[in-house]
Amino acid sequence: MRLSIAELDAMVAEAIVDAYGEHEQLAAFQAVIEDRLALPFTTVVLGIPVTITALQEQPGSGIAALCRHGRHAQTIGILDLPLPDPAPEGWVWVEAYRHWTS
């Protein structure tokens, strides 16, 4: 589902309505995405299926996804994740976050 610029702008405004400054706005976006993105979900990173089990703030990188494959785990910036097919419920908030960062 492609969202219009107006729809993305409205989602950004909703996410950061009470947040002041970039750090608070980032925290607000993380809270919204954690509330609305269905976890866990699976995507493919470098040809390997990984399960996204949690989100966390990664200093200097914004919101990161905790990716697991077997006993291995690594955080990857959520904006660097390939769009899963089908997209998990709430993925539109990741797109709104992408819009906010651009």
Side-chain angles (χ1 to χ4, degrees):
M1 170 183 186
R2 273 199 74 84
L3 299 172
S4 70
I5 298 296
E7 290 170 314
L8 290 168
D9 286 343
M11 292 173 74
V12 168
E14 180 182 339
I16 63 172
V17 67
D18 291 327
Y20 301 96
E22 188 174 324
H23 184 71
E24 282 187 22
Q25 291 174 358
L26 177 61
F29 250 112
Q30 182 173 344
V32 168
I33 293 171
E34 284 177 339
D35 285 346
R36 300 188 182 179
L37 180 61
L39 293 176
F41 66 88
T42 302
T43 192
V44 176
V45 175
L46 297 174
I48 298 171
V50 297
T51 301
I52 310 307
T53 58
L55 302 177
Q56 62 189 50
E57 186 177 344
Q58 189 170 22
S61 299
I63 301 170
L66 179 59
C67 304
R68 294 193 177 277
H69 177 78
R71 60 185 174 89
H72 302 284
Q74 182 170 344
T75 56
I76 297 175
I78 197 163
L79 298 180
D80 295 328
L81 287 178
L83 174 64
D85 184 24
E89 184 178 332
W91 185 264
V92 292
W93 287 97
V94 175
E95 295 306 322
Y97 172 59
R98 183 183 316 280
H99 179 69
W100 176 74
T101 62
S102 61

